[in-house]
Amino acid sequence: MSDPKKLFIKTYGCQMNVYDSERMAEALGGQGYVETQSPDDADMILLNTCHIREKAAEKVYSELGRFKGLKAEKPDLKIGVAGCVAQAEGEEIMRRQPMVDLVVGPQSYHRLPAMEEAVGKGEKALDTDFPLDDKFDTLKTRPKAKRGPTAFLTVQEGCDKFCAFCVVPYTRGAEVSRPAERIVREAQELVEAGVREITLLGQNVNAYHGHEGGLAGLIWALDKVDGLERIRFTTSHPNDMDDALIEAHGTCDKLMPYLHLPVQSGSDRILKAMNRKHTRDQYFRLIERIRDARPDLLLSGDFIVGFPGETEEDFEDTMDLIRTVHYGQAYSFKYSTRPGTPAAEKPQLPDDVMDDRLQRLQALLREQQKASQDAMVGKTVTVLFEKAGREQGQMIGKSEHLHAVFAEAPDVAVGDLRQVAVTQSAPNSLGGTLLASAG
Ligand code: 5AD
Ligand code: SF4
């Protein structure tokens, strides 16, 4: 048998890309590829790209520039660009970087094996269709190899919301939900491979409609999967938080008390200009209802500063919203103009104004993150252990609230769920003492 060919995949952007990269590696496994951690010994390099902000998209071209030397040394090396930059820029990528052999959009990666064969014959391959056949149907079932205790599972793709700043509806297309029975089967396979926690992924995951009762219905179906201990989902739009999903946060033990619910801005004027289709008051009322269902819920969010037309007063409204809601953690971004989106037509704010606002906003979010972590000291949390720590005998895992937790745990194995008494709060993690297991 000939040596396996080596595949190096570099993943940018969101968790959906992490999931897609796994599935692409599996698809190419059928072509005789195994993954390598280094581009230097690869027979094929695949960049799974992100187009959400300009910086993310530009990274792809600088990374490709770095592979030029490798390609010169090894002319058989195949170079591919996948993901949202592939979708948005298509052939333009091959024009800018002629050494690229293959461009594949996020909806077409089930066609990768055939594309790889075409490239093997010296052809260029490009596929940025939104095909009618479901890539998840075409892909083989997942390999049975043992894996770590946590996994992502894409249940929904695309978005119909058309926020004025966002490329997702164009790069990922319209909302599509995978049928629930396939998701449940994939979850069972993941559990058989050692997974105990699954994060359901979708650009607009709470708009999932592949099961009666929407995402809540799917969560309850997964709740019945033996051996699956924890369920999370990301990322959600406030307008799709229906009653059943809110209630599930209070009643489903496997659903973790953590919710990523981006609001982007706290100003009604800017929310309207962003086409978010809700007001700040509606968001406040929603948060109240979710916290009534699950009082200890840790809330996460996304914020954009410097959207076109944002005044100092609008920005202060965002700061005020953050102070009122209190986030356990959150992501924040400077507005980035994306070609083809409605907001791209509007005059931009000066960079120094955006920088200043981002710094002030991030300082507030850091303060809140610290307060939320510090509040865990003295409490007992359940930790799903994921890997060994740097120090001898130390293990690292995640709490129900998704805090990273370190503990001296020489007898604990990866995949164990154990109770830890939290004793300290460091900048991005908690430290604690392992409690004796109950029986
Ligand atoms: N500029 C800045 N941030 C953006 N996001 C999406 N589009 C843009 C843009 N054009 C942010 C939003 C979204 C997160 C995934 O990325 O906050 O929730
Ligand atoms: Fe983009 Fe999210 Fe708005 Fe959809 S809901 S357009 S993915 S920001």
Side-chain angles (χ1 to χ4, degrees), residues 75-218:
D76 284 345
L77 172 67
K78 300 179 176 98
I79 297 190
V81 177
C84 294
V85 176
Q87 189 64 45
E89 300 190 5
E91 265 171 66
E92 174 66 20
I93 298 172
M94 287 177 178
R95 259 198 298 276
R96 269 179 79 172
Q97 287 287 2
M99 64 168 185
V100 172
D101 302 294
L102 179 158
V103 173
V104 60
Q107 302 312 327
S108 306
Y109 64 68
H110 54 303
R111 296 176 178 169
L112 258 178
M115 294 173 80
E116 191 271 346
E117 273 168 33
V119 172
K121 291 183 199 139
E123 294 165 25
K124 297 255 174 192
L126 174 106
D127 194 335
T128 53
D129 286 352
F130 284 104
L132 285 175
D133 51 327
D134 177 353
K135 68 181 178 209
F136 296 114
D137 278 0
T138 315
L139 290 166
K140 292 192 202 69
T141 52
R142 311 199 63 178
K144 299 260 181 288
K146 175 110 181 92
R147 40 184 303 156
T150 63
F152 295 131
L153 203 176
T154 293
V155 304
Q156 177 278 343
E157 285 188 281
C159 182
D160 298 335
K161 295 280 188 291
F162 290 94
C163 298
F165 50 82
C166 184
V167 287
V168 167
Y170 313 98
T171 54
R172 291 271 175 167
E175 242 171 73
V176 179
S177 293
R178 294 177 67 191
E181 58 279 14
R182 298 226 186 87
I183 295 165
V184 171
R185 203 187 316 140
E186 192 171 330
Q188 280 160 344
E189 285 162 7
L190 287 169
V191 168
E192 280 161 27
V195 169
R196 305 192 79 185
E197 171 180 311
I198 291 180
T199 302
L200 307 175
L201 299 180
Q203 263 96 25
N204 214 189
V205 74
N206 58 345
Y208 177 81
H209 57 265
H211 192 286
E212 205 183 319
L215 185 64
L218 177 65

Side-chain angles (χ1 to χ4, degrees), residues 172 273 307 341:
R172 291 271 175 167
F307 185 79
T341 58

